[in-house]
Amino acid sequence: MAAWPAVPLLINLGGSLLGFVATVTLIPAFTDRFVAARLFGEDLNKTSRRPVPEAQGVISGAVFLIILFCFIPVPFLRCFVEEQCAAFPHDEFVELIGSLLAICCMIFLGFADDVLNLRWRHKLLLPTMASLPLLMVYFTNFGNTTIVVPKPFRVLLGMHLDLGILYYVYMGMLAVFCTNAINILAGINGIEAGQSLVIAASIIIFNIVELNGDYRDDHIFSLYFMIPFFFTTLGLFYHNWYPSRVFVGDTFCYFAGMTFAVVGILGHFSKTMLLFFIPQVLNFLYSLPQLFHVIPCPRHRLPRLNPSTGKLEMSYSKFKTRSLSALGTNILKVVKILHVVDVRSGTDEDGEYTECNNMTLINFVIKLIGPTHERNLTLLLLLIQVLGSTIAFSIRYQLVRLFYDV
């Protein structure tokens, strides 16, 4: 892959631009087919109740796969010229095929989720199953499970630490986190595709910066996936932006998350990639009490529209006070003192009740700035994502010296 990096990258870029055009064109062309198949929903944050096609991530995902399927021979063009190829790079070929298999599995399972409306425990299982090809490729091609210990812990653990099977557990959990982290930061027009675009752009910038480093081939491999992903997602974002004409569905969230996991694991920069997920990590931590049902969690946690103002307000979870566990009661007391959750209590015909805002980053932003228009809210959240990437680059190239020898 390192012999002619410019030629494969230019071909990849050309195919990606065609993929953008194809995605923008195909989504409206298939709108009626999705509605006829009853794959549609209503935009709960709009006064109109027109059907909006769902699971459109399957179209951008299919275009992405077609681009990369056609691209498979390109990195190995030098091997078609016998004098320039001493031996076919089977390890690189397996890496490429295994990555596509993992992404393809995730698109299929994500579409199954959109159609069958699977439970949350299945949403955790599906990425685990789809990551198995990825883990096998890592095992056969690399198999290295030794990490460099951060400076503060070297007195206890030494310079290097072999995690063994725990490293594979970490990579599997990384795939689960990436897919679900995007899925739970959702609910307003453009946010799923928008945050994925910012993360993809951040990874592309990071890869380009690192092309002159020691791990050039790993970053070229990452670019082969990130460039088509960016442009096909851009085409999807065009239709998903406010007012959304389509919904991306769980298909896109799984597809995006697995693509990020693939390049992070096989590109050997999983820690850096997690830094680009700072807003998603914060959203996950903020959501933990509801995700683990310590605090009752409704099916939809998206903000609610106030029809009289046309602005989005925080949505709430209402439940009987006596149904809350001791742990849940203590958590609500703490978050109320810290003013990070709006907690209310009262009495109705069913007795004492408690309600709190749904614990998502979207609702938290509304809590800070007050009711706001959906488009402005999406823009603000995307700016937070950009700020997160800026912080990530600062940590990666500046603060990293506190923990590692660079």
Side-chain angles (χ1 to χ4, degrees):
M1 288 186 186
W4 296 345
V7 174
L9 285 173
L10 287 174
I11 294 174
N12 186 280
L13 177 60
S16 301
L17 291 172
L18 291 176
F20 167 75
V21 175
T23 305
V24 170
T25 305
L26 288 174
I27 287 177
F30 278 85
T31 294
D32 293 338
R33 292 179 180 271
F34 276 81
V35 173
R38 305 191 64 82
L39 286 172
F40 66 87
E42 295 179 349
D43 195 333
L44 300 178
N45 288 327
K46 304 292 186 300
T47 53
S48 63
R49 287 294 180 259
R50 63 180 179 83
V52 180
E54 291 184 325
Q56 296 302 289
V58 74
I59 294 179
S60 65
V63 173
F64 171 87
L65 288 177
I66 291 171
I67 293 170
L68 283 179
F69 285 161
C70 294
F71 181 74
I72 287 174
V74 175
F76 312 102
L77 287 177
R78 69 183 188 275
C79 287
F80 291 94
V81 182
E82 190 172 344
E83 297 80 14
Q84 298 183 18
C85 186
F88 187 84
H90 291 93
D91 55 338
E92 296 177 3
F93 182 73
V94 168
E95 191 174 312
L96 186 61
I97 297 299
S99 300
L100 286 174
L101 176 59
I103 295 171
C104 188
C105 288
M106 204 66 258
I107 293 174
F108 169 73
L109 294 172
F111 189 65
D113 185 14
D114 279 324
V115 173
L116 302 176
N117 199 17
L118 302 175
R119 296 180 180 271
W120 264 105
R121 59 177 175 267
H122 300 137
K123 294 175 186 285
L124 297 176
L125 181 64
L126 295 182
T128 305
M129 297 296 101
S131 66
L132 291 178
L134 190 62
L135 299 182
M136 285 304 302
V137 169
Y138 186 89
F139 175 77
T140 55
N141 276 14
F142 310 106
N144 183 21
T145 57
T146 301
I147 63 169
V148 178
V149 177
K151 290 180 180 179
F153 303 103
R154 289 178 184 174
V155 176
L156 298 174
L157 302 175
M159 184 73 174
H160 299 92
L161 178 65
D162 188 0
L163 295 180
I165 194 172
L166 292 179
Y167 194 79
Y168 292 94
V169 173
Y170 156 73
M171 290 189 290
M173 292 177 64
L174 179 68
V176 173
F177 172 77
C178 289
T179 52
N180 286 286
I182 294 173
N183 201 17
I184 63 175
L185 184 54
I188 56 177
N189 291 174
I191 189 62
E192 299 99 324
Q195 62 184 299
S196 299
L197 274 177
V198 175
I199 295 171
S202 302
I203 294 174
I204 289 172
I205 293 171
F206 172 67
N207 292 150
I208 292 173
V209 169
E210 292 292 320
L211 282 180
N212 292 324
D214 296 332
Y215 302 98
R216 176 188 183 187
D217 288 353
D218 294 332
H219 293 285
I220 291 173
F221 169 82
S222 175
L223 286 170
Y224 289 161
F225 285 83
M226 282 294 100
I227 294 173
F229 176 81
F230 178 86
F231 282 102
T232 54
T233 301
L234 186 62
L236 179 61
F237 182 69
Y238 173 79
H239 293 288
N240 186 233
W241 179 246
Y242 181 92
S244 179
R245 298 179 292 279
V246 299
F247 293 148
V248 301
D250 290 340
T251 306
F252 174 77
C253 297
Y254 289 161
F255 158 49
M258 183 56 72
T259 305
F260 293 141
V262 161
V263 299
I265 292 171
L266 296 185
H268 301 95
F269 57 89
S270 60
K271 295 189 293 295
T272 301
M273 190 202 63
L274 279 176
L275 290 175
F276 296 131
F277 276 74
I278 289 176
Q280 286 71 24
V281 171
L282 294 176
N283 181 63
F284 172 72
L285 295 174
Y286 187 57
S287 300
L288 274 178
Q290 285 193 312
L291 294 179
F292 287 96
H293 294 280
V294 178
I295 306 296
C297 182
R299 176 171 176 76
H300 296 292
R301 302 191 298 161
L302 68 162
R304 64 185 181 188
L305 174 69
N306 186 332
S308 61
T309 63
K311 295 182 177 180
L312 296 184
E313 301 176 349
M314 288 189 295
S315 60
Y316 286 80
S317 174
K318 183 178 179 180
F319 45 88
K320 294 180 181 179
T321 303
R322 63 176 180 271
S323 68
L324 203 60
S325 66
L327 177 60
T329 302
N330 290 328
I331 289 176
L332 284 185
K333 288 180 181 178
V334 172
V335 295
K336 186 176 182 180
I337 293 172
L338 296 176
H339 298 286
V340 293
V341 175
D342 185 25
V343 182
R344 305 170 181 172
S345 300
T347 305
D348 57 16
E349 61 274 10
D350 296 324
E352 292 187 6
Y353 71 86
T354 301
E355 63 178 357
C356 65
N357 66 271
N358 286 309
M359 299 176 185
T360 67
L361 183 61
I362 299 174
N363 280 310
F364 183 69
V365 169
I366 296 175
K367 176 178 171 58
L368 294 178
I369 66 174
T372 186
H373 191 275
E374 184 174 3
R375 179 180 58 248
N376 297 335
L377 182 59
T378 303
L379 283 171
L380 181 56
L381 287 163
L382 293 183
L383 285 175
I384 292 173
Q385 191 74 50
V386 172
L387 176 62
S389 290
T390 304
I391 295 172
F393 279 113
S394 299
I395 295 173
R396 174 61 180 80
Y397 289 106
Q398 299 299 326
L399 293 182
V400 69
R401 294 179 174 87
L402 299 175
F403 298 94
Y404 298 99
D405 299 314
V406 293

